[in-house]
Amino acid sequence: MPTILRNLAAIGLAAMSANSQARSPAALCEYCQQKPRFVEASGHKHKYCGKTCARAASQGVRTSQPQTYHPRKHTHSICKDCHHQKTTSVDHVCGQCRNKTTSSLVEVARDNPIFNQVQNQFLNDWRKADGNPEIGKLYAIRNPYRQREAQKTYLNAQQNVEEAHTYYGTQMICDLANPVLCEIASCGVCQIARSSFGSLAFGENYDTGRLGLGLYTCRSSGLADNFATSCTSSPFRVVIACNTIVNTVTHQPEQNATEEQLSSFVPISDAILPVYIIMYSK
């Protein structure tokens, strides 16, 4: 069997080599540059593919669409998503990342500048008297390519919108001690992170609020804390930091607004991406 396979491979290589030679500039008709030159039985090779091109060339007639031979080129690049696979796509995303449907987590070390940036933003957005929160763990959420592109498409299709930092408080059933998302249906944190808000706790797709079905997040991390619940085995409370496309006209907070009125509403999950899982104590 190996011998047969080697022979088939050799035949295939020979066929490709012959085809390559037939399509090289030296083997093509000097007039049309599309067909191979005519070769007589004696082996004599003419300049042209046939009488039509030979006659047109002798009369000085130019081809209506002159062809130039260009060898086929493949430009490879490293996928900008996984930074590992090679790809020839114009957007530099490999097929594996393009077809990915679930998110993954990466733990952000305390000495990483991103940790300090997120912590400072989280503290600035706390805006409530009780508690002095301190981040214990930070996980970055690697949303799939298609979810990120869906948000870009949504943003470009809307008017009077802006990107905002918001927070989502929900229940966490697992302790999330490692950057591995659990599959417990009631664990809202893992369900949201895994599906990029495609699914909430218990498989729900939307929240219910003052503007009907949709997704409601908070501009204040302290307000989101009011909705956060954690399992008893974890020393941390948890909220999800989000990148949210909000309407600048309908989301102007009123004076003396209630907690519900201070929430930000989006109608579909394309308008929101979970970015970080923030585990903190207070």
Side-chain angles (χ1 to χ4, degrees):
M1 181 64 72
T3 303
I4 295 175
L5 291 176
R6 280 197 294 269
N7 289 340
L8 289 173
I11 293 171
L13 289 173
M16 286 189 290
S17 176
N19 182 62
S20 176
Q21 292 176 5
R23 296 298 298 174
S24 66
L28 295 177
C29 171
E30 290 187 1
Y31 181 75
C32 68
Q33 288 288 304
Q34 293 186 22
K35 298 179 181 179
R37 296 181 180 185
F38 178 73
V39 182
E40 296 181 359
S42 62
H44 175 69
K45 184 182 292 185
H46 290 263
K47 293 183 178 181
Y48 310 106
C49 59
K51 293 181 179 180
T52 301
C53 283
R55 187 180 305 110
S58 65
Q59 295 174 354
V61 178
R62 297 180 61 85
T63 56
S64 58
Q65 293 181 340
Q67 302 291 324
T68 303
Y69 176 81
H70 294 288
R72 189 176 181 182
K73 296 180 179 179
H74 290 287
T75 303
H76 291 84
S77 62
I78 300 299
C79 174
K80 66 182 181 182
D81 243 36
C82 63
H83 306 288
H84 175 68
Q85 298 288 345
K86 290 184 177 181
T87 178
T88 57
S89 66
V90 295
D91 55 4
H92 308 293
V93 177
C94 69
Q96 183 176 347
C97 290
R98 190 184 307 280
N99 296 326
K100 190 177 179 182
T101 57
T102 58
S103 304
S104 58
L105 302 182
V106 177
E107 185 168 0
V108 181
R110 296 189 69 89
D111 59 354
N112 190 314
I114 293 177
F115 190 99
N116 290 329
Q117 292 173 12
V118 173
Q119 181 165 251
N120 291 336
Q121 184 75 50
F122 179 73
L123 295 176
N124 289 337
D125 292 339
W126 187 256
R127 297 199 292 270
K128 72 174 184 177
D130 64 310
N132 184 25
E134 180 180 353
I135 295 180
K137 278 191 175 184
L138 179 66
Y139 293 122
I141 302 172
R142 297 185 62 183
N143 293 283
Y145 172 80
R146 61 174 62 185
Q147 266 69 45
R148 301 198 310 271
E149 289 299 302
Q151 189 183 55
K152 290 180 183 177
T153 301
Y154 179 86
L155 174 61
N156 293 332
Q158 306 302 310
Q159 294 182 343
N160 301 319
V161 295
E162 66 178 5
E163 296 183 66
H165 297 289
T166 65
Y167 302 88
Y168 191 90
T170 184
Q171 64 183 16
M172 185 181 73
I173 302 302
C174 68
D175 59 13
L176 208 59
N178 299 304
V180 179
L181 296 168
C182 78
E183 297 183 1
I184 303 173
S186 58
C187 186
V189 171
C190 288
Q191 289 292 326
I192 290 169
R194 182 191 304 278
S195 65
S196 302
F197 273 101
S199 177
L200 310 180
F202 300 103
E204 295 291 334
N205 298 117
Y206 299 103
D207 297 316
T208 301
R210 71 186 191 282
L211 298 176
L213 294 178
L215 297 168
Y216 293 83
T217 57
C218 309
R219 294 290 188 106
S220 164
S221 54
L223 179 56
D225 171 70
N226 295 342
F227 302 95
T229 58
S230 303
C231 66
T232 55
S233 61
S234 174
F236 301 114
R237 297 177 66 79
V238 180
V239 296
I240 301 174
C242 311
N243 181 31
T244 310
I245 310 300
V246 297
N247 189 295
T248 57
V249 176
T250 60
H251 285 79
Q252 293 296 329
E254 301 175 3
Q255 189 175 9
N256 300 322
T258 64
E259 288 188 354
E260 186 181 24
Q261 291 170 338
L262 286 172
S263 62
S264 294
F265 168 81
V266 295
I268 58 175
S269 60
D270 287 352
I272 183 172
L273 280 178
V275 183
Y276 295 103
I277 293 177
I278 301 176
M279 306 182 70
Y280 61 98
S281 57
K282 62 175 186 175

